[in-house]
Amino acid sequence: MYGAGSAKMRTYPATMRLKPNTEYTMEFDVLGSGTVYIMSESDESDKPMQESFSEGHNKFTFTTGDKTDYI
């Protein structure tokens, strides 16, 4: 999405679910920078992860909380 400006991407429960109280590692490569969030769909204030990323390879580790609807 180079040059596309701000964009939101999300997981969909039909294709991927995050289990409660579980540690995950996320890796991705990007051509720009921004912020990545993991949050509860029903409670946007519940964010197990909120991190800035930069151009190139990025790797983050986070642990979900008690909810079953993290995206």
Side-chain angles (χ1 to χ4, degrees):
M1 296 188 64
Y2 187 72
S6 179
K8 289 187 178 184
M9 292 179 248
R10 59 164 285 171
T11 60
Y12 288 99
T15 59
M16 183 176 124
R17 291 189 182 271
L18 300 176
K19 294 180 182 180
N21 304 306
T22 303
E23 183 178 274
Y24 290 93
T25 299
M26 174 190 325
E27 293 186 62
F28 54 89
D29 296 305
V30 294
L31 297 174
S33 60
T35 304
V36 61
Y37 304 89
I38 302 298
M39 64 188 197
S40 166
E41 193 168 30
S42 62
D43 179 5
E44 291 184 6
S45 68
D46 184 355
K47 292 181 182 172
M49 187 180 85
Q50 179 176 339
E51 297 286 341
S52 296
F53 62 85
S54 57
E55 183 175 345
H57 186 76
N58 294 269
K59 182 176 180 178
F60 301 99
T61 300
F62 64 94
T63 303
T64 55
D66 293 332
K67 296 193 174 58
T68 60
D69 65 347
Y70 291 103
I71 56 175

